[in-house]
Amino acid sequence: MGEYGRMVAEAVAAHGGRYLARGAEPFVLEGGPAHNVLLIEFPDKDAALAWYASPAYQAAKKLREGKSNLRLVVIDDA
């Protein structure tokens, strides 16, 4: 997973993203259990979608597939 993380970080930076939380363990106040959180901020929704569709991220994604349980969500609060 180390190579995956490096590749993702490079792809995030290339699309104007920055990490706000990386592997943070959530403290749940209400509801069911939560997994560790990785929060990335992009300039806008289009930049986030471009990052996800980029060849660099897709190559990294192939390294991760079958090795983790990931839920990837885009939140557009504009």
Side-chain angles (χ1 to χ4, degrees), residues 10 17 22 28-30 46 53 61-65 72:
E10 289 175 4
R22 206 168 185 180
V28 178
L29 296 176
E30 294 187 31
D46 289 339
K61 180 180 169 186
K62 287 182 182 185
L63 294 177
R64 187 202 75 240
E65 289 177 337
L72 189 58

Side-chain angles (χ1 to χ4, degrees), residues 6-68:
R6 183 192 63 74
M7 291 172 71
V8 171
E10 289 175 4
V12 165
H15 287 86
R18 69 183 186 106
Y19 289 94
L20 301 179
R22 206 168 185 180
E25 186 175 333
F27 184 80
V28 178
L29 296 176
E30 294 187 31
H35 298 283
N36 287 358
V37 174
L38 174 69
L39 183 62
I40 305 169
E41 178 182 52
F42 288 94
D44 53 39
K45 178 182 169 188
D46 289 339
L49 296 176
W51 161 77
Y52 183 76
S54 71
Y57 179 73
Q58 292 300 311
K61 180 180 169 186
K62 287 182 182 185
L63 294 177
R64 187 202 75 240
E65 289 177 337
K67 297 178 180 142
S68 70

